[in-house]
Amino acid sequence: MHPSGPAPAVEALDLRKAFERIHAVDGVDLDLRPGRIYGLLGPNGSGKTTLIRLLAGLSKATSGEARILGTRMPSRPMLGRIGYMPQSEALYPDLSVAENLGFFAALQGARTRAAIDRVLELVELSDRKGSPVLELSGGMRRRLSLACTLVHEPPIIFLDEPTVGVDPALRVQFWAHFRRLAAAGATILVASHVMDEADRCDELLFIRAGKVIAEGTGAELRAKAKTDNLETAFLQFAGLDAEGRPVDGSPAQ
Amino acid sequence: MSARRVLAVARRIAEGFRRDHRSLALLFIAPLFVTALLGWVLRGSVAGTIDLVVAGAPAALVDALESAAADPDLDVEVRIEAIDDADGARGAVRDGDADVALIVAGSGANVGLTIVTQGADPTTEGGQLGVVQALISGAAGALLPIPGARLPEISRETIYLSPDADQLDALAPVFLGIFAYFFVFILTGISFLRERVGGTLERLLATPVTRAEIVLGYSIGFSFFAAIQVVVLTLFILARVEVPALGPIPAFTIGLDVQTAGSPAIAFIVALLMAIGAVNLGIFLSTYARTELQIVQFIPLVILPQALLGGVFWPVERLPDVLQAIAHVLPVTYAVDALREVMIKGADFGSSVVQLDLAVLAGIAILFVVLGAGTIKREVA
Ligand SMILES: Nc1ncnc2c1ncn2[C@@H]1O[C@H](COP(=O)(O)OP(=O)(O)OP(=O)(O)O)[C@@H](O)[C@H]1O
Ligand SMILES: [Mg+2]
């Protein structure tokens, strides 16, 4: 899909991951370029988290290959170039905001006060530095989690539903920041099942049952599905009717 | 209050248990397991052999002691060896060649008897002393020229602790290594479980950190607390601080004032090695737990047997063979041995026993580190 342009930052080659009977990721090919924001869209259980974990080298593929900046994953040195925001909170509840951030910054080798202050500023938690995570609201925890992901200014960023529970005003700021990071050359993959965020992405990947069922810019996908609504487009690519039932009349699984 | 809701809650708990096979098994099997073990240990430790060395006794007395020892009513076997020299007898007890020495001095009405034991294990020695005293009463005829005369006073002597050392003196130093071991195990188990369940381990593994770094970091972190615990415990065991009466508070003392011979510094090293092992055992076992409750469930399974078999309460040599074999693979056994050598017998790094114990403990700690680290990169759910 990119015949020319910069070398791929993130690649997947027929990537597969099976858990006992479930094929969570079922033959995915990807080619993500620097400077762009990619949206990974799909329903619950479609394999978004599993795909991101494979790309980030957190789990071993059953077959196929994931590459970051040309290096086959899992690769420990590459982890320093990746920012991964898990879907779950993944913070230490009894540590303070600054302690959590300081800890992950230290593991990433970004121990500068300035870096920490900068991300705290971004997620608007500067005034809560000393609060234990236990005392933060759910949205604040998401914000801190994002801060922990970005503190070392990674060129490759995987965000697993980053804006869940974040209020609209801050959500806009988040996306503005993602855009700035991409403009500065970062490659960003955002998993979401919120279609209204999709339009903020440069390119979309529709995933269902572990397979990429469509990819392209929002405009391309709309044109292909002959609809203005991305949700409708998704259903159409998935072979479902407007109420989420298979169009050929067979019962939904 | 609604009985329906109460029942619903009770039912949910029962249903939860039904799916949690480990908790269920532990609920019923663990008490059986521990009770059986306790019975085995207690019953198994009654029998034994006492090696008695008799110094300076006339041949008639030795013969009389031997025939008293041959009494079938006596439920232990007593092996008697007669030698001439009293210091030789003390040496035999110190070196562990004999359990008890009976030193006879003088003769006739001026006869003096001294019973010597190591003084390292008051409980066991108390039992042995009783047997030897029974033998002496049985042999009284050979000892006293006039039948019916009163037996002379028997004096007591010990090599290490003073004869009036109590069980606490022998037990307390051993706790130094044991407590840290058990506490650190539970703390690490729970905190590592939280890492696994809370997703922070996943986040850790998404950074360039190596598992060796994680394991080491954990070991240092928890060993630090273990070290503080050992220092406080050492002070408590050894010290005796009199606090004078203050207003309505009466005077009291803090500390156990336990007698010790050796260097607390070596005991500290033993405890530290134990703590490092415990951290990694906790990390290792946290793989096999899903909730904090399940970590606690490891106590009867992992900790109690070690406490029972490791020589804390019963000497390992007096366990049945099978249990001895198990005891020899438990780190606690070596820690207890080293702590006894150091704190009671006053051994130092020069002692080959202490060297061996420390080497084995270090080896076990390394084994646990490898096991613990091995569970970390395994796929996190
Ligand atoms: N560790 C695991 N063991 C077994 N099955 C798993 C495991 N992880 C994921 N799965 C299965 O793989 C499939 C994809 O899961 P995944 O978490 O990737 O979905 P997702 O797209 O991220 O969903 P959501 O939108 O709910 O976050 C699901 O059917 C899930 O049950
Ligand atoms: Mg997910």
Side-chain angles (χ1 to χ4, degrees), chain A residues 81-103:
Chain A
R81 325 276 313 262
I82 297 175
Y84 169 59
M85 177 173 174
Q87 187 170 2
S88 71
E89 226 162 70
L91 299 166
Y92 296 95
D94 31 11
L95 299 192
S96 72
V97 168
E99 286 164 346
N100 269 284
L101 202 47
F103 176 65

Side-chain angles (χ1 to χ4, degrees), chain B residues 61 64-65 68 102-105 107-115 129-155:
Chain B
L61 176 58
L65 285 170
L102 174 62
I103 297 170
V104 184
S107 62
N110 298 324
V111 72
L113 299 180
T114 307
I115 295 181
L129 227 58
V131 172
V132 171
Q133 274 161 346
L135 292 186
I136 294 171
S137 311
L143 199 58
L144 301 168
I146 313 141
R150 251 167 40 92
L151 271 173
E153 194 77 27
I154 301 174
S155 51

Side-chain angles (χ1 to χ4, degrees), chain A residues 40 132 179 190 209 220 232 234:
Chain A
L40 184 60
R179 182 51 65 196
V190 183
E220 283 168 10
T232 315
F234 182 91

Side-chain angles (χ1 to χ4, degrees), chain B residues 4-209:
Chain B
R4 212 152 119 213
R5 282 201 298 265
V6 172
L7 280 180
V9 171
R11 190 163 148 195
R12 187 200 68 72
I13 295 190
E15 279 168 354
F17 248 127
R18 210 178 58 207
R19 273 176 218 108
D20 185 353
H21 297 287
R22 189 202 311 264
S23 297
L24 207 61
L26 222 67
L27 197 61
F28 297 109
I29 296 171
L32 293 181
F33 176 60
V34 174
T35 314
L37 201 56
L38 198 62
W40 198 359
V41 167
L42 284 176
R43 219 170 293 133
S45 62
V46 174
T49 311
I50 301 174
D51 284 307
L52 173 66
V53 53
V54 183
L61 176 58
V62 176
D63 287 344
L65 285 170
E66 259 163 4
S67 61
D71 183 345
D73 284 347
L74 203 65
D75 54 6
V76 291
E77 186 195 343
V78 183
R79 287 197 293 250
I80 297 175
E81 189 200 349
I83 61 171
D84 291 332
D85 136 55
D87 285 338
R90 289 194 179 90
V93 171
R94 185 178 49 243
D95 299 341
D97 295 335
D99 297 308
V100 186
L102 174 62
I103 297 170
V104 184
S107 62
N110 298 324
V111 72
L113 299 180
T114 307
I115 295 181
V116 186
T117 59
Q118 280 200 341
D121 176 5
T123 326
T124 312
E125 290 168 22
Q128 293 169 344
L129 227 58
V131 172
V132 171
Q133 274 161 346
L135 292 186
I136 294 171
S137 311
L143 199 58
L144 301 168
I146 313 141
R150 251 167 40 92
L151 271 173
E153 194 77 27
I154 301 174
S155 51
R156 274 285 279 127
E157 206 182 293
T158 50
I159 309 277
Y160 301 116
L161 298 178
S162 84
D164 47 50
D166 57 10
Q167 210 172 341
L168 192 63
D169 288 323
L171 219 46
V174 170
F175 285 158
L176 288 181
I178 307 307
F179 275 130
Y181 182 66
F182 293 156
F183 277 109
V184 166
F185 164 71
I186 294 180
L187 287 178
T188 327
I190 289 181
S191 87
F192 213 80
L193 179 81
R194 286 191 181 151
E195 295 262 23
R196 289 185 198 276
V197 174
T200 46
L201 181 62
E202 161 134 318
R203 194 171 221 145
L204 282 185
L205 295 180
T207 73
V209 75

Side-chain angles (χ1 to χ4, degrees), chain A residues 44-45 47-50 87 160-161 191 193:
Chain A
N44 290 146
K48 302 183 294 295
T49 299
T50 309
Q87 187 170 2
D160 200 346
E161 308 195 12
H193 43 73

